[in-house]
Amino acid sequence: MRPSRQISLRHSPPTGQGFTFVEMLVAMSLSAMFIGTAAMALSAITQNSRHFSSIHDLTIGTANNSNFYSLSSSKVQVSGAPNYGRLAFVNEMRDQFYEDVSRSEGVYCLARSGLNTIRPEWLAWPYSDPAATKPVLDSPEAFRQYLATAEPASASIFAACRNVPATSTPNTTIFLIAPTNQADYLKVQAVYEIDYVNITSPAGIYASVRRYKNGALTHYYDIFYEEGPESALLPTFVTFESRARLARTEGDAIDRFKKGRSSPFYLIWLPDPSINPMRVETAALPAAATDPRQAYGQLAGKTGFLLTAPLFPSL
């Protein structure tokens, strides 16, 4: 008698068996997710490609190019705003500025209309004689007048300015004065400059921000804003004086800037490569004549780089 076979309940699936409905559903869902993600990435790259590929060959003039960068050409190649790749250069410039300020005993913002050629490492201080009457460098104007004595050529470069530069002087030079044991000299920690150049073709503003050490260019960034004018970027800085000066009434236009509780200070606006300020709606200005924002409130939303710096840290 033949032994009966035991029937196993476990069967190996045939090698030709296909996917189940559940497996197909999962695979289709994953495929849809991957395709959707790829489509979104492609759309973002396409829409934002102008942030990286908008490059302009601008004619800024031989004099400007030589003064800014020591180049003999009249042209520069620059990205158009908005361009997010240039933000790294702005952050580096801002960090370097604050590092320089931390090592300085005086910060002086001077307004000008043309080019600056005064970028020394040392400034003569002819007041070491105890009997000599020494200037008190407690304001940008006091430093400007001293600089005209130490560097006579500067007298025709920098304009007098109390709190807000005039629109006729859109460019800025910042002198940072460092401590020194030299009785006959002031040591210049660094010189920072912000320049705006009107461009006609294509119409817009070329903005250049630079740092010099002993006359040598060490850091810079630039950006091009289509659809000028430069007035949309001004003022570059405003000066706030000590509150103690409220003891003397000089009118709302000046007294509104006497806000410094411990010492005078600056607000400084750097050009922002990620924003084209020409295409940002201008904010409404405060109505009160005693509000200092009447002088700079129009800059709201037009740059993400607002710096604050003490005017005279030793105070």
Side-chain angles (χ1 to χ4, degrees), residues 170-187:
N171 304 320
T172 299
T173 295
I174 306 174
F175 287 90
L176 304 183
I177 306 303
T180 179
N181 57 3
Q182 300 292 324
D184 297 329
Y185 293 91
L186 295 183
K187 181 176 176 60

Side-chain angles (χ1 to χ4, degrees), residues 163-164 234-235 238-240 252-253 255-259 267 269 282-300 306:
N163 299 117
V164 184
L234 304 179
V238 294
T239 306
F240 285 87
D252 291 339
D255 290 344
R256 60 183 175 172
F257 287 100
K258 298 175 181 178
K259 300 288 187 181
L267 296 182
W269 289 269
T282 301
L285 298 179
T290 57
D291 195 326
R293 291 175 298 176
Q294 273 197 343
Y296 59 85
Q298 67 274 11
L299 292 173
L306 169 60

Side-chain angles (χ1 to χ4, degrees), residues 192-209:
Y192 285 79
E193 297 194 340
I194 305 171
D195 283 81
Y196 295 112
V197 180
N198 288 290
I199 304 297
T200 56
S201 181
I205 298 298
Y206 172 72
S208 173
V209 183

Side-chain angles (χ1 to χ4, degrees), residues 57-77 115 196-201 206:
D57 289 314
L58 303 181
T59 300
I60 66 170
T62 304
N64 287 329
N65 218 357
S66 176
N67 180 270
F68 295 170
Y69 314 113
S70 298
L71 299 176
S72 58
S73 172
S74 64
K75 293 187 175 183
V76 294
Q77 190 175 76
L115 301 174
Y196 295 112
V197 180
N198 288 290
I199 304 297
T200 56
S201 181
Y206 172 72

